[in-house]
Amino acid sequence: MQLILTHEQADFDALASMLGAHLLVPEAYALLPRQINRNGRDFLDKYGQELGFSTIKDLPDQNIEQVYLVDTQSLVTLRGLTENTKICVIDHHPRKKQSNPEWEMILETTGACSTLLVEKMQDAGMPLANLEATMLLLGIYEDTGSLGYSNTTPRDVRAVAFLLEQGADLNVVSRYLNPPLTNIQQQLYDRLITKLESHTVEGYTILVASAEAFDLNDEISSVAHKLRDFLDPDGLILLVSTKQGVRMVARSTTDNLDVGRLARHFNGGGHKRASSALIRPEDKPTSENTRVLMQQILEELQRFLPVVVTPELKVHQIMSRDPLVLDPAMPAQEAARLMNRYGFEGYPVVKDGKIIGLLTRRNVDRALSHNLVKNVEDLMEAGEIRVFPDDSLARLKEIMVNTGWGQVPVVDAESGEVIGIVTRTDLIGTLNINENPLPPTEMVEALNQALTTERKTLLLAVAEQASLQKLPAYIVGGFVRDLLLKRPSQDFDIVLEGDAIEFADHLVNTYGGRAVVHKRFGTAKWILTENREEILQKLGIADGGLGALPEHLDLISARTEFYDHPAALPVVERSSIKMDLHRRDFTINTIALRLDGEHFGQIFDFWGGYDDLMQKQIRVLHALSFVDDATRMLRAVRFAERFDFEIETRTLSLLNASLPLIDQLSGARIQHEFDLIFQEGKVTQIMQSLQNLGILAAIQPDLGWSLVQQQRVQSTALHVEDNSLSLKDLQTAIWLLWLEVYPFQTITRIAKRLRLTARLIERIKLTAQLRELLPMVHQLKPSQITQTLAGYPELVIQTVIFSNEDQGQVQPLREYLDTYRQMRAYTTGEDLKARGLPPSPRYELILSELNAAWLDGKVNSYEEEVALLEQLLKAE
């Protein structure tokens, strides 16, 4: 049996999605939920029999083979569900954190889930009856506000056009989307309007009302619709105590007030402008515990409202600080050199502290192409165009439109000094900017849960000192990424908007330890393993706690980088945190967590990293990312497989176009990337992806990845879990297993490209050699096996044992490691000397014969060994 299910309190989008799925899979039962919104129930009462919906009593008593979940990602418990039931989710909401990874997930961003089903019917060329088209149109219109909500997509509009062509009745749609209130709903409306409380958050007016309605069976969305139309607030939140628990219905008139996020906080769902949630008490709902729950919700709502409001951005929030300014007398050639180095498209021209114009790359390129000898003043766009830090983005947009300047200087309102520059790209980026995707309180709690007491103490000490020094301090990159993915680590680095070397010296003077600095990159290591007692005491860590601290803490000055040529090492200059993050490889590694003072716990996400984390994709920050550093191609695959992400389409296209640049990478850098890959849990998947994308062949044409290599690595990796192999040895073993399959001449070519050590090359060849010997090893006596294997490193033997498909074939190798190599005769060289045999190479031969006798079972006791020794000495 196959079922189609949706959520309780089903609205028209949920019901229409069920209908669409049923039309596509007619053999599946479209099982109506118990709770349906009133207008949906009224529609079904009149037309339901014609649409093929089922109730629980219509179902046969059979196991459920397949479930299609539409407009939801939550599965209710039903009789007939088994561990073998397949689940397919079709939804337009973001993936829920607790979603089952084994389910098939079809998640696409549209205004309505119904749109996804309509598109499938269009693709299949399915005709629709007028009533079917009308219900599907109801679903799309309800969730998109009749195509008026900001979440409406072109796909929704095209689906609506198709449904109208199929005969959808707009009169019916209008009648059921805007039904009059029932008597009970009207009474609730009257109670709510007397309980309204107004909250102002970042300039937005949000109305909150709560009431009891234990006799209510109708939906609340119609009441919310009427109240919103009458009061016209920026946001409206209704909380109603019912027999099931507290129902939340929220509406918003602006995308800056995300009520969908509010509902998700209370385990509900929805969109930026419309959402709902059912919050149940821990025990069975009663009037008393529901009232207590209501009070808790109101308190949490008060705390969480600032999180769901995105304040209007100001210029200072998106500008780049401390821009390079040009002197009007500077030659055009020098300006071109600076533009190539720093990569910006325009630079303010300043004379006597005042802006007199803007020099653009386009004007410089034109002058140089015509071999004109000009200076900056000759080529600049003249004008005293500027904005102030607290100007609105609307003002910035107006200036850009009126002047045509794509880069506008930002000046201090009091001094008139140029303190920043804001570009058209910055303005466009505000469409996706996400400076604080999670409230600081949540991030602080995540840190508390992730870090040990000792490391948290260390972090707080650094944060306190940064605040005292008035230095913005951040944790960035992988630590923050993994914290948001709920797979935290204990290792973090600190990035400072200031002098990290000077700050490291300050920490040493305050707490002890030692600083190791790297002036070229503006970095320092605070060594924590020296003067232990002093550091412990000053950090306030109990005796013995230092072992839980890192050996050192990396401190990094925020910097920007530029590259003199593709695949070169970067040239580094001091910069802001925004530009520091921009130099990184992928957006998911650009999220920063601020530490100093009142900012502790704030997330800064200038480049869309949080959204990419939620969408599970790997994306570069700019089109030249792989040109700057071709090793990022290997890293993109490594991260994608580690997190089960996809490489974003544009990034994948850039990767394919940049493959020839891998040839410019040094072998040492590539080898380092493979060492990192071989530490991953999904090493075989990573290698297969590298093969599929052509990266292995781009590194060296002989390189590949086969099923044999994959199976051998997988088999060997299992022995890390039972402690038969260390992670470090596994890393080496993977090198052996990967390259042993090639002829020796090919191994030599690969080794030369990857700069492999002579020791590793020798082990690769010995691994291949030993595997070739396996068929004949069974024919050897134990003494011969021991003699044969004595020249092989233990790791080579282990690698062959663990990776061999036929474990019986490698049993002699196991016996060698476990038994044979430990067996020794009682007799020693001293015993032979005491018997009057002068020292000579004969000693080794005699002792070898005695050992061989023990191994081959010819000698089984000390007495037998002595007898054999007598025979050998007589022969001597």
Side-chain angles (χ1 to χ4, degrees), residues 8-33:
E8 291 296 324
Q9 289 299 138
D11 55 9
F12 271 121
D13 189 32
L15 296 172
S17 298
M18 291 183 71
L19 173 64
H22 180 60
L23 293 173
L24 290 162
V25 189
E27 62 272 22
Y29 292 88
L31 181 62
L32 289 171

PDB file of all heavy atoms in Angstrom, residues 8-33:
ATOM      1  N   GLU A   8      -1.057  18.265   9.973  1.00  0.00           N
ATOM      2  CA  GLU A   8      -2.334  18.617  10.587  1.00  0.00           C
ATOM      3  C   GLU A   8      -2.614  20.106  10.385  1.00  0.00           C
ATOM      4  O   GLU A   8      -1.729  20.877  10.035  1.00  0.00           O
ATOM      5  CB  GLU A   8      -2.303  18.277  12.081  1.00  0.00           C
ATOM      6  CG  GLU A   8      -2.278  16.779  12.374  1.00  0.00           C
ATOM      7  CD  GLU A   8      -3.526  16.049  11.913  1.00  0.00           C
ATOM      8  OE1 GLU A   8      -4.631  16.645  11.999  1.00  0.00           O
ATOM      9  OE2 GLU A   8      -3.412  14.900  11.447  1.00  0.00           O
ATOM     10  N   GLN A   9      -3.878  20.509  10.659  1.00  0.00           N
ATOM     11  CA  GLN A   9      -4.324  21.869  10.359  1.00  0.00           C
ATOM     12  C   GLN A   9      -3.988  22.198   8.911  1.00  0.00           C
ATOM     13  O   GLN A   9      -3.444  23.247   8.579  1.00  0.00           O
ATOM     14  CB  GLN A   9      -3.678  22.885  11.298  1.00  0.00           C
ATOM     15  CG  GLN A   9      -4.188  22.822  12.726  1.00  0.00           C
ATOM     16  CD  GLN A   9      -5.689  23.101  12.863  1.00  0.00           C
ATOM     17  OE1 GLN A   9      -6.381  22.429  13.608  1.00  0.00           O
ATOM     18  NE2 GLN A   9      -6.181  24.074  12.131  1.00  0.00           N
ATOM     19  N   ALA A  10      -4.330  21.257   8.043  1.00  0.00           N
ATOM     20  CA  ALA A  10      -3.971  21.370   6.634  1.00  0.00           C
ATOM     21  C   ALA A  10      -4.640  22.577   5.996  1.00  0.00           C
ATOM     22  O   ALA A  10      -5.842  22.797   6.160  1.00  0.00           O
ATOM     23  CB  ALA A  10      -4.355  20.090   5.900  1.00  0.00           C
ATOM     24  N   ASP A  11      -3.866  23.365   5.272  1.00  0.00           N
ATOM     25  CA  ASP A  11      -4.407  24.486   4.517  1.00  0.00           C
ATOM     26  C   ASP A  11      -4.580  24.060   3.069  1.00  0.00           C
ATOM     27  O   ASP A  11      -4.391  22.885   2.717  1.00  0.00           O
ATOM     28  CB  ASP A  11      -3.491  25.697   4.637  1.00  0.00           C
ATOM     29  CG  ASP A  11      -2.054  25.380   4.214  1.00  0.00           C
ATOM     30  OD1 ASP A  11      -1.810  24.275   3.675  1.00  0.00           O
ATOM     31  OD2 ASP A  11      -1.173  26.231   4.425  1.00  0.00           O
ATOM     32  N   PHE A  12      -4.949  25.006   2.203  1.00  0.00           N
ATOM     33  CA  PHE A  12      -5.204  24.642   0.814  1.00  0.00           C
ATOM     34  C   PHE A  12      -3.936  24.162   0.102  1.00  0.00           C
ATOM     35  O   PHE A  12      -4.005  23.304  -0.771  1.00  0.00           O
ATOM     36  CB  PHE A  12      -5.819  25.827   0.055  1.00  0.00           C
ATOM     37  CG  PHE A  12      -7.321  25.853   0.124  1.00  0.00           C
ATOM     38  CD1 PHE A  12      -7.986  26.939   0.662  1.00  0.00           C
ATOM     39  CD2 PHE A  12      -8.073  24.790  -0.362  1.00  0.00           C
ATOM     40  CE1 PHE A  12      -9.368  26.959   0.730  1.00  0.00           C
ATOM     41  CE2 PHE A  12      -9.463  24.805  -0.300  1.00  0.00           C
ATOM     42  CZ  PHE A  12     -10.115  25.900   0.253  1.00  0.00           C
ATOM     43  N   ASP A  13      -2.780  24.716   0.461  1.00  0.00           N
ATOM     44  CA  ASP A  13      -1.563  24.264  -0.208  1.00  0.00           C
ATOM     45  C   ASP A  13      -1.278  22.806   0.128  1.00  0.00           C
ATOM     46  O   ASP A  13      -0.875  22.022  -0.739  1.00  0.00           O
ATOM     47  CB  ASP A  13      -0.380  25.140   0.203  1.00  0.00           C
ATOM     48  CG  ASP A  13       0.861  24.855  -0.637  1.00  0.00           C
ATOM     49  OD1 ASP A  13       0.706  24.505  -1.821  1.00  0.00           O
ATOM     50  OD2 ASP A  13       1.973  24.978  -0.103  1.00  0.00           O
ATOM     51  N   ALA A  14      -1.505  22.424   1.394  1.00  0.00           N
ATOM     52  CA  ALA A  14      -1.301  21.032   1.780  1.00  0.00           C
ATOM     53  C   ALA A  14      -2.287  20.111   1.065  1.00  0.00           C
ATOM     54  O   ALA A  14      -1.912  19.066   0.514  1.00  0.00           O
ATOM     55  CB  ALA A  14      -1.449  20.887   3.292  1.00  0.00           C
ATOM     56  N   LEU A  15      -3.557  20.497   1.034  1.00  0.00           N
ATOM     57  CA  LEU A  15      -4.581  19.665   0.388  1.00  0.00           C
ATOM     58  C   LEU A  15      -4.353  19.586  -1.116  1.00  0.00           C
ATOM     59  O   LEU A  15      -4.479  18.514  -1.720  1.00  0.00           O
ATOM     60  CB  LEU A  15      -5.969  20.236   0.691  1.00  0.00           C
ATOM     61  CG  LEU A  15      -6.389  20.231   2.168  1.00  0.00           C
ATOM     62  CD1 LEU A  15      -7.695  20.997   2.344  1.00  0.00           C
ATOM     63  CD2 LEU A  15      -6.533  18.806   2.689  1.00  0.00           C
ATOM     64  N   ALA A  16      -3.996  20.723  -1.719  1.00  0.00           N
ATOM     65  CA  ALA A  16      -3.752  20.723  -3.162  1.00  0.00           C
ATOM     66  C   ALA A  16      -2.527  19.891  -3.514  1.00  0.00           C
ATOM     67  O   ALA A  16      -2.494  19.200  -4.539  1.00  0.00           O
ATOM     68  CB  ALA A  16      -3.579  22.158  -3.656  1.00  0.00           C
ATOM     69  N   SER A  17      -1.508  19.930  -2.653  1.00  0.00           N
ATOM     70  CA  SER A  17      -0.310  19.111  -2.894  1.00  0.00           C
ATOM     71  C   SER A  17      -0.658  17.630  -2.817  1.00  0.00           C
ATOM     72  O   SER A  17      -0.143  16.812  -3.595  1.00  0.00           O
ATOM     73  CB  SER A  17       0.780  19.457  -1.875  1.00  0.00           C
ATOM     74  OG  SER A  17       1.178  20.806  -2.001  1.00  0.00           O
ATOM     75  N   MET A  18      -1.533  17.256  -1.873  1.00  0.00           N
ATOM     76  CA  MET A  18      -1.983  15.868  -1.797  1.00  0.00           C
ATOM     77  C   MET A  18      -2.711  15.470  -3.079  1.00  0.00           C
ATOM     78  O   MET A  18      -2.490  14.375  -3.620  1.00  0.00           O
ATOM     79  CB  MET A  18      -2.911  15.681  -0.597  1.00  0.00           C
ATOM     80  CG  MET A  18      -2.235  15.791   0.760  1.00  0.00           C
ATOM     81  SD  MET A  18      -3.386  15.465   2.100  1.00  0.00           S
ATOM     82  CE  MET A  18      -3.644  13.700   1.900  1.00  0.00           C
ATOM     83  N   LEU A  19      -3.585  16.362  -3.566  1.00  0.00           N
ATOM     84  CA  LEU A  19      -4.300  16.079  -4.810  1.00  0.00           C
ATOM     85  C   LEU A  19      -3.313  15.892  -5.964  1.00  0.00           C
ATOM     86  O   LEU A  19      -3.435  14.940  -6.756  1.00  0.00           O
ATOM     87  CB  LEU A  19      -5.270  17.217  -5.122  1.00  0.00           C
ATOM     88  CG  LEU A  19      -5.968  17.128  -6.494  1.00  0.00           C
ATOM     89  CD1 LEU A  19      -6.866  15.895  -6.570  1.00  0.00           C
ATOM     90  CD2 LEU A  19      -6.771  18.391  -6.770  1.00  0.00           C
ATOM     91  N   GLY A  20      -2.329  16.797  -6.063  1.00  0.00           N
ATOM     92  CA  GLY A  20      -1.349  16.691  -7.139  1.00  0.00           C
ATOM     93  C   GLY A  20      -0.585  15.383  -7.087  1.00  0.00           C
ATOM     94  O   GLY A  20      -0.376  14.723  -8.115  1.00  0.00           O
ATOM     95  N   ALA A  21      -0.169  14.976  -5.874  1.00  0.00           N
ATOM     96  CA  ALA A  21       0.554  13.709  -5.735  1.00  0.00           C
ATOM     97  C   ALA A  21      -0.335  12.528  -6.110  1.00  0.00           C
ATOM     98  O   ALA A  21       0.118  11.563  -6.738  1.00  0.00           O
ATOM     99  CB  ALA A  21       1.075  13.563  -4.301  1.00  0.00           C
ATOM    100  N   HIS A  22      -1.609  12.611  -5.746  1.00  0.00           N
ATOM    101  CA  HIS A  22      -2.549  11.521  -6.062  1.00  0.00           C
ATOM    102  C   HIS A  22      -2.773  11.413  -7.568  1.00  0.00           C
ATOM    103  O   HIS A  22      -2.879  10.300  -8.113  1.00  0.00           O
ATOM    104  CB  HIS A  22      -3.870  11.761  -5.346  1.00  0.00           C
ATOM    105  CG  HIS A  22      -4.902  10.698  -5.604  1.00  0.00           C
ATOM    106  ND1 HIS A  22      -4.708   9.369  -5.288  1.00  0.00           N
ATOM    107  CD2 HIS A  22      -6.145  10.769  -6.165  1.00  0.00           C
ATOM    108  CE1 HIS A  22      -5.777   8.662  -5.637  1.00  0.00           C
ATOM    109  NE2 HIS A  22      -6.657   9.499  -6.177  1.00  0.00           N
ATOM    110  N   LEU A  23      -2.832  12.550  -8.247  1.00  0.00           N
ATOM    111  CA  LEU A  23      -2.989  12.519  -9.704  1.00  0.00           C
ATOM    112  C   LEU A  23      -1.760  11.920 -10.379  1.00  0.00           C
ATOM    113  O   LEU A  23      -1.866  11.237 -11.405  1.00  0.00           O
ATOM    114  CB  LEU A  23      -3.245  13.934 -10.228  1.00  0.00           C
ATOM    115  CG  LEU A  23      -4.580  14.570  -9.802  1.00  0.00           C
ATOM    116  CD1 LEU A  23      -4.644  16.030 -10.247  1.00  0.00           C
ATOM    117  CD2 LEU A  23      -5.765  13.794 -10.388  1.00  0.00           C
ATOM    118  N   LEU A  24      -0.603  12.158  -9.802  1.00  0.00           N
ATOM    119  CA  LEU A  24       0.636  11.611 -10.365  1.00  0.00           C
ATOM    120  C   LEU A  24       0.821  10.141 -10.009  1.00  0.00           C
ATOM    121  O   LEU A  24       1.422   9.377 -10.770  1.00  0.00           O
ATOM    122  CB  LEU A  24       1.842  12.419  -9.866  1.00  0.00           C
ATOM    123  CG  LEU A  24       1.967  13.838 -10.425  1.00  0.00           C
ATOM    124  CD1 LEU A  24       2.906  14.673  -9.563  1.00  0.00           C
ATOM    125  CD2 LEU A  24       2.465  13.799 -11.869  1.00  0.00           C
ATOM    126  N   VAL A  25       0.341   9.751  -8.816  1.00  0.00           N
ATOM    127  CA  VAL A  25       0.457   8.356  -8.363  1.00  0.00           C
ATOM    128  C   VAL A  25      -0.951   7.878  -7.975  1.00  0.00           C
ATOM    129  O   VAL A  25      -1.305   7.834  -6.789  1.00  0.00           O
ATOM    130  CB  VAL A  25       1.418   8.225  -7.166  1.00  0.00           C
ATOM    131  CG1 VAL A  25       1.698   6.754  -6.862  1.00  0.00           C
ATOM    132  CG2 VAL A  25       2.716   8.976  -7.411  1.00  0.00           C
ATOM    133  N   PRO A  26      -1.788   7.526  -8.949  1.00  0.00           N
ATOM    134  CA  PRO A  26      -3.197   7.218  -8.671  1.00  0.00           C
ATOM    135  C   PRO A  26      -3.382   6.049  -7.709  1.00  0.00           C
ATOM    136  O   PRO A  26      -4.398   5.988  -7.000  1.00  0.00           O
ATOM    137  CB  PRO A  26      -3.778   6.889 -10.058  1.00  0.00           C
ATOM    138  CG  PRO A  26      -2.814   7.459 -11.037  1.00  0.00           C
ATOM    139  CD  PRO A  26      -1.476   7.440 -10.390  1.00  0.00           C
ATOM    140  N   GLU A  27      -2.416   5.114  -7.669  1.00  0.00           N
ATOM    141  CA  GLU A  27      -2.571   3.946  -6.799  1.00  0.00           C
ATOM    142  C   GLU A  27      -2.333   4.291  -5.325  1.00  0.00           C
ATOM    143  O   GLU A  27      -2.598   3.467  -4.443  1.00  0.00           O
ATOM    144  CB  GLU A  27      -1.625   2.827  -7.228  1.00  0.00           C
ATOM    145  CG  GLU A  27      -0.139   3.159  -7.140  1.00  0.00           C
ATOM    146  CD  GLU A  27       0.406   3.801  -8.399  1.00  0.00           C
ATOM    147  OE1 GLU A  27      -0.402   4.379  -9.173  1.00  0.00           O
ATOM    148  OE2 GLU A  27       1.626   3.728  -8.620  1.00  0.00           O
ATOM    149  N   ALA A  28      -1.828   5.475  -5.026  1.00  0.00           N
ATOM    150  CA  ALA A  28      -1.564   5.875  -3.646  1.00  0.00           C
ATOM    151  C   ALA A  28      -2.810   6.504  -3.028  1.00  0.00           C
ATOM    152  O   ALA A  28      -3.519   7.281  -3.675  1.00  0.00           O
ATOM    153  CB  ALA A  28      -0.401   6.865  -3.593  1.00  0.00           C
ATOM    154  N   TYR A  29      -3.080   6.159  -1.770  1.00  0.00           N
ATOM    155  CA  TYR A  29      -4.209   6.744  -1.042  1.00  0.00           C
ATOM    156  C   TYR A  29      -3.817   8.133  -0.532  1.00  0.00           C
ATOM    157  O   TYR A  29      -2.811   8.277   0.177  1.00  0.00           O
ATOM    158  CB  TYR A  29      -4.595   5.867   0.150  1.00  0.00           C
ATOM    159  CG  TYR A  29      -5.185   4.529  -0.217  1.00  0.00           C
ATOM    160  CD1 TYR A  29      -4.366   3.422  -0.425  1.00  0.00           C
ATOM    161  CD2 TYR A  29      -6.575   4.369  -0.338  1.00  0.00           C
ATOM    162  CE1 TYR A  29      -4.902   2.180  -0.749  1.00  0.00           C
ATOM    163  CE2 TYR A  29      -7.117   3.137  -0.664  1.00  0.00           C
ATOM    164  CZ  TYR A  29      -6.279   2.039  -0.869  1.00  0.00           C
ATOM    165  OH  TYR A  29      -6.820   0.823  -1.191  1.00  0.00           O
ATOM    166  N   ALA A  30      -4.620   9.170  -0.863  1.00  0.00           N
ATOM    167  CA  ALA A  30      -4.413  10.516  -0.342  1.00  0.00           C
ATOM    168  C   ALA A  30      -5.172  10.624   0.969  1.00  0.00           C
ATOM    169  O   ALA A  30      -6.381  10.903   1.001  1.00  0.00           O
ATOM    170  CB  ALA A  30      -4.892  11.565  -1.336  1.00  0.00           C
ATOM    171  N   LEU A  31      -4.493  10.366   2.072  1.00  0.00           N
ATOM    172  CA  LEU A  31      -5.129  10.244   3.385  1.00  0.00           C
ATOM    173  C   LEU A  31      -5.267  11.617   4.038  1.00  0.00           C
ATOM    174  O   LEU A  31      -4.273  12.249   4.404  1.00  0.00           O
ATOM    175  CB  LEU A  31      -4.293   9.323   4.276  1.00  0.00           C
ATOM    176  CG  LEU A  31      -4.847   9.067   5.683  1.00  0.00           C
ATOM    177  CD1 LEU A  31      -6.211   8.380   5.616  1.00  0.00           C
ATOM    178  CD2 LEU A  31      -3.861   8.214   6.486  1.00  0.00           C
ATOM    179  N   LEU A  32      -6.501  12.057   4.207  1.00  0.00           N
ATOM    180  CA  LEU A  32      -6.756  13.364   4.796  1.00  0.00           C
ATOM    181  C   LEU A  32      -6.338  13.379   6.265  1.00  0.00           C
ATOM    182  O   LEU A  32      -6.566  12.419   6.994  1.00  0.00           O
ATOM    183  CB  LEU A  32      -8.240  13.712   4.693  1.00  0.00           C
ATOM    184  CG  LEU A  32      -8.759  14.029   3.286  1.00  0.00           C
ATOM    185  CD1 LEU A  32     -10.274  14.146   3.304  1.00  0.00           C
ATOM    186  CD2 LEU A  32      -8.126  15.307   2.743  1.00  0.00           C
ATOM    187  N   PRO A  33      -5.742  14.487   6.734  1.00  0.00           N
ATOM    188  CA  PRO A  33      -5.413  14.599   8.162  1.00  0.00           C
ATOM    189  C   PRO A  33      -6.680  14.818   8.980  1.00  0.00           C
ATOM    190  O   PRO A  33      -7.743  15.155   8.448  1.00  0.00           O
ATOM    191  CB  PRO A  33      -4.498  15.826   8.210  1.00  0.00           C
ATOM    192  CG  PRO A  33      -4.901  16.650   7.036  1.00  0.00           C
ATOM    193  CD  PRO A  33      -5.303  15.680   5.966  1.00  0.00           C
TER     194      PRO A  33
END
